[in-house]
Amino acid sequence: MNNQQLAVVLLSGGLDSMVSAARAREDGFALLALSVDYNQRHRVELAAARWIAEALGAVRHVILPLDLAAFGGSALTDDIAVPKGGVGADIPVTYVPARNTVLLSLALAWAEAASARDLVIGVNALDYSGYPDCRPEFIAAFESMAALATKAGAEGGRFTVHAPLQHLTKAQIVAEAARLGLDAGMSWSCYDPAPGDLHCGLCDSCRLRQRGFEEAGLPDPTRYAARP
């Protein structure tokens, strides 16, 4: 690894996680990619995560099974319809209870085991402002918790949670993907895939993705089943 510093990157297979991982690689980190199979409604994003991890040259890619569908409470893990009417201001039913807390905790466990001190997550507080676990306050609080809850922290180590896309618009994230030379078509954003592995085009995530490419003035490689 040429003495590169390790970073554990949460890699969902989405555009944001892909760009965050590529930014970490650009910053000189060797990537430990972590994807979580939490029994979400589809497996397409996990396939995308595999392609992205390979394309970015991850040192190791772990897909960890964790059945959050046993708890339910979200349109991504329960028998709840995915909204298709447009992006609203309230916390949507696609919010998975405490998901980012759970995922970062798993990333923290791997980081400590691997003697890494850097975690990378693709949260975005602008386009996903309805999600409480995407806010800067949450990231700062998790860093504080990591210092208290780990052997490494007790011995004076410090964990840093990198959220490089925190304050970027979706258009800026799309532009960053282009700058980094990424194939955005490898990524997956849709909450409710259409037959043929098409993005539905109407869920919140699809709408934000479409808007990002349009506002960035860049071609959208995504195959959509429908358009708003």
Side-chain angles (χ1 to χ4, degrees):
M1 291 184 293
N2 299 320
N3 296 318
Q4 282 182 288
Q5 189 173 347
L6 290 168
V8 177
V9 180
L10 284 169
L11 191 64
S12 69
L15 180 63
D16 293 357
S17 72
M18 178 172 72
V19 173
S20 296
R23 281 277 294 267
R25 185 184 65 171
E26 183 181 53
D27 289 341
F29 288 105
L31 308 182
L32 297 176
L34 176 60
S35 304
V36 179
D37 180 356
Y38 58 89
N39 207 6
Q40 52 268 58
R41 293 171 70 108
H42 57 80
R43 293 293 178 270
V44 187
E45 68 179 16
L46 293 173
R50 290 190 189 93
W51 301 331
I52 294 166
E54 182 176 354
L56 293 179
V59 174
R60 188 180 174 199
H61 181 209
V62 170
I63 299 180
L64 192 70
L66 179 69
D67 187 9
L68 294 183
F71 299 155
S74 167
L76 302 189
T77 58
D78 210 337
D79 189 18
I80 301 171
V82 173
K84 302 291 182 72
V87 181
D90 298 329
I91 298 175
V93 295
T94 49
Y95 164 75
V96 178
R99 180 177 62 180
N100 285 346
T101 305
V102 171
L103 300 187
L104 273 175
S105 296
L106 295 171
L108 176 63
W110 191 8
E112 187 171 28
S115 297
R117 297 293 177 265
D118 295 271
L119 316 179
V120 181
I121 186 170
V123 293
N124 179 266
L126 297 181
D127 286 336
Y128 291 94
S129 57
Y131 290 176
D133 55 1
C134 288
R135 296 175 298 172
E137 296 89 343
F138 165 71
I139 298 299
F142 191 92
E143 285 186 337
S144 297
M145 183 278 295
L148 295 171
T150 59
K151 177 177 182 288
E155 293 176 348
R158 174 176 172 78
F159 292 93
T160 300
V161 180
H162 303 268
L165 312 185
Q166 186 102 71
H167 302 293
L168 299 187
T169 65
K170 186 62 74 176
Q172 289 171 324
I173 294 169
V174 168
E176 187 69 351
R179 182 190 71 79
L180 291 162
L182 301 174
D183 176 6
M186 285 197 304
S187 65
W188 185 269
S189 299
C190 183
Y191 291 148
D192 191 24
D197 287 345
L198 300 178
H199 281 63
C200 76
L202 300 177
C203 68
D204 286 6
S205 191
C206 279
R207 289 172 186 265
L208 290 166
R209 185 181 176 104
Q210 290 173 42
R211 185 189 306 165
F213 280 97
E214 290 169 1
E215 292 179 354
L218 292 170
D220 186 351
T222 315
R223 297 188 306 139
Y224 299 103
R227 291 272 184 171

